[in-house]
Amino acid sequence: MAKVGYIFKANHYDTFESDKEWMRQYGCVQIVEEPVEHETLRPQWKQLIATLGRGDEIVVSSLCHLSNFAE
């Protein structure tokens, strides 16, 4: 069971480094960073979902990192 962080690196994301450090301290073994250029397709998110195992946790610092997903 692993904790994996997910960060969408939006423009003007002022708390990126502190959010990333918080995830490390929380126990995330990996932190996935999605660049703003991939906002529509979110390939890093799709890869993260595909590799999760039973009991793994996704950690986000804000629900806004999960919004605007393409259908």
Side-chain angles (χ1 to χ4, degrees):
M1 291 189 271
K3 293 178 185 170
V4 181
Y6 177 80
I7 296 178
F8 174 69
K9 292 178 69 176
N11 293 327
H12 310 293
Y13 183 7
D14 299 333
T15 60
F16 171 73
E17 289 300 328
S18 62
D19 287 351
K20 196 170 169 180
E21 181 58 29
W22 170 80
M23 288 180 178
R24 282 190 200 103
Q25 290 178 6
Y26 188 70
C28 292
V29 296
Q30 177 186 6
I31 300 172
V32 176
E33 301 173 19
E34 190 85 65
V36 71
E37 297 82 24
H38 297 161
E39 182 175 11
T40 304
L41 298 177
R42 305 251 182 152
Q44 298 292 340
W45 172 261
K46 291 175 183 175
Q47 182 178 5
L48 170 61
I49 295 298
T51 60
L52 286 177
R54 182 181 202 106
D56 288 350
E57 298 177 31
I58 298 175
V59 178
V60 293
S61 60
S62 175
L63 291 177
C64 68
H65 293 270
L66 302 178
S67 64
N68 297 326
F69 279 100
E71 306 250 346

